[in-house]
Amino acid sequence: MNDAAENTIEITRQENVTRILDAAERLFRHYGYSKTTVADIARDLGMSPANVYRFFASKVEIHQAICGRMLVHSYQMAYDVCHLPISASDRLRRFVQGQYQITVDTMLDQEKVHEMVIVAIERDWHVIERHIDSIHELLADVIREGIAAGEFAEQDADVASRCFGAATISLCHPQMVAQCLAKTNRATVDELVEFSIRALKK
């Protein structure tokens, strides 16, 4: 088989994968993850369940791939913010505020999406762990630049990044955001962000 034929086969495969993921995400959003079956996804696409299983071994694998796509979108937004031509403090501030807004808008306002994310978190999938590691690397670079500019105190940027993430996790974790959203005895988004940034300056 020549390269052109192999490329055509790969393109067709990717198109089918995308179609399956798009259909599955649409059904998950409408009916919920737990109520949607592989048979439902296949029926929506006008194909047999066996054809879906050619590309994904299970509904869990489909779910994992969808969550991976959602995390890619979240990472891209974080990457863009962390590379803005503004101070390190402002980049961290915008990063947390942006992640908080994504969590509220995408994961809480849309109940079925929230269910998808919670299932993924409870299973502790490696895609989520990789995403967290990637975010920590972005934040470490921002903190490192802040240290070099004299904006932050001299410190281990990698450790500081993990600590900053832990300090602001209640603004990015869907379950924690959902629990704290309506409570008046919790720190506000701005209060927690400013407190965490001040800690980097000492």
Side-chain angles (χ1 to χ4, degrees):
M1 186 180 297
N2 59 37
D3 290 345
E6 288 181 357
N7 287 339
T8 299
I9 290 173
E10 180 59 26
I11 289 171
T12 301
R13 182 186 179 284
Q14 286 303 319
E15 287 175 347
N16 282 320
V17 166
T18 299
R19 284 183 64 223
I20 292 169
L21 294 181
D22 288 346
E25 184 171 357
R26 184 170 61 252
L27 293 175
F28 289 166
R29 287 175 181 272
H30 186 72
Y31 297 107
Y33 171 74
S34 58
K35 293 183 179 179
T36 302
T37 66
V38 172
D40 293 328
I41 297 168
R43 190 180 308 112
D44 185 79
L45 290 166
M47 63 173 62
S48 68
N51 200 30
V52 174
Y53 286 123
R54 285 177 54 212
F55 301 95
F56 295 97
S58 64
K59 186 176 83 167
V60 170
E61 198 171 285
I62 294 172
H63 181 202
Q64 187 175 9
I66 291 171
C67 286
R69 292 202 308 186
M70 293 172 66
L71 293 175
V72 166
H73 173 67
S74 176
Y75 175 82
Q76 187 59 53
M77 292 186 69
Y79 180 91
D80 291 344
V81 168
C82 288
H83 288 82
L84 289 172
I86 54 179
S87 71
S89 293
D90 283 341
R91 279 179 278 167
L92 293 178
R93 194 173 285 116
R94 289 199 191 185
F95 161 77
V96 177
Q97 291 168 341
Q99 294 298 304
Y100 176 76
Q101 204 58 51
I102 289 175
T103 304
V104 172
D105 292 345
T106 304
M107 300 177 186
L108 299 188
D109 283 356
Q110 302 177 41
E111 182 181 340
K112 301 301 191 298
V113 178
H114 185 227
E115 180 196 1
M116 269 201 303
V117 175
I118 296 308
V119 170
I121 290 172
E122 288 175 347
R123 287 177 174 162
D124 198 28
W125 280 340
H126 65 275
V127 289
I128 293 179
E129 287 304 305
R130 283 205 308 267
H131 174 70
I132 292 171
D133 289 343
S134 297
I135 292 296
H136 283 164
E137 289 173 9
L138 280 179
L139 297 181
D141 286 342
V142 173
I143 292 170
R144 205 169 281 114
E145 290 172 17
I147 293 170
E151 192 176 341
F152 300 144
E154 190 66 39
Q155 58 197 295
D156 186 316
D158 294 315
V159 172
S161 171
R162 293 194 293 271
C163 290
F164 184 86
T168 57
I169 187 63
S170 64
L171 302 178
C172 306
H173 191 293
Q175 287 170 304
M176 297 180 76
V177 171
Q179 290 170 7
C180 297
L181 202 57
K183 298 185 183 299
T184 58
N185 63 341
R186 300 290 193 272
T188 67
V189 176
D190 290 341
E191 288 170 344
L192 192 48
V193 172
E194 295 310 316
F195 179 87
S196 302
I197 290 175
R198 280 199 301 273
L200 294 171
K201 297 181 178 182
K202 295 182 178 179

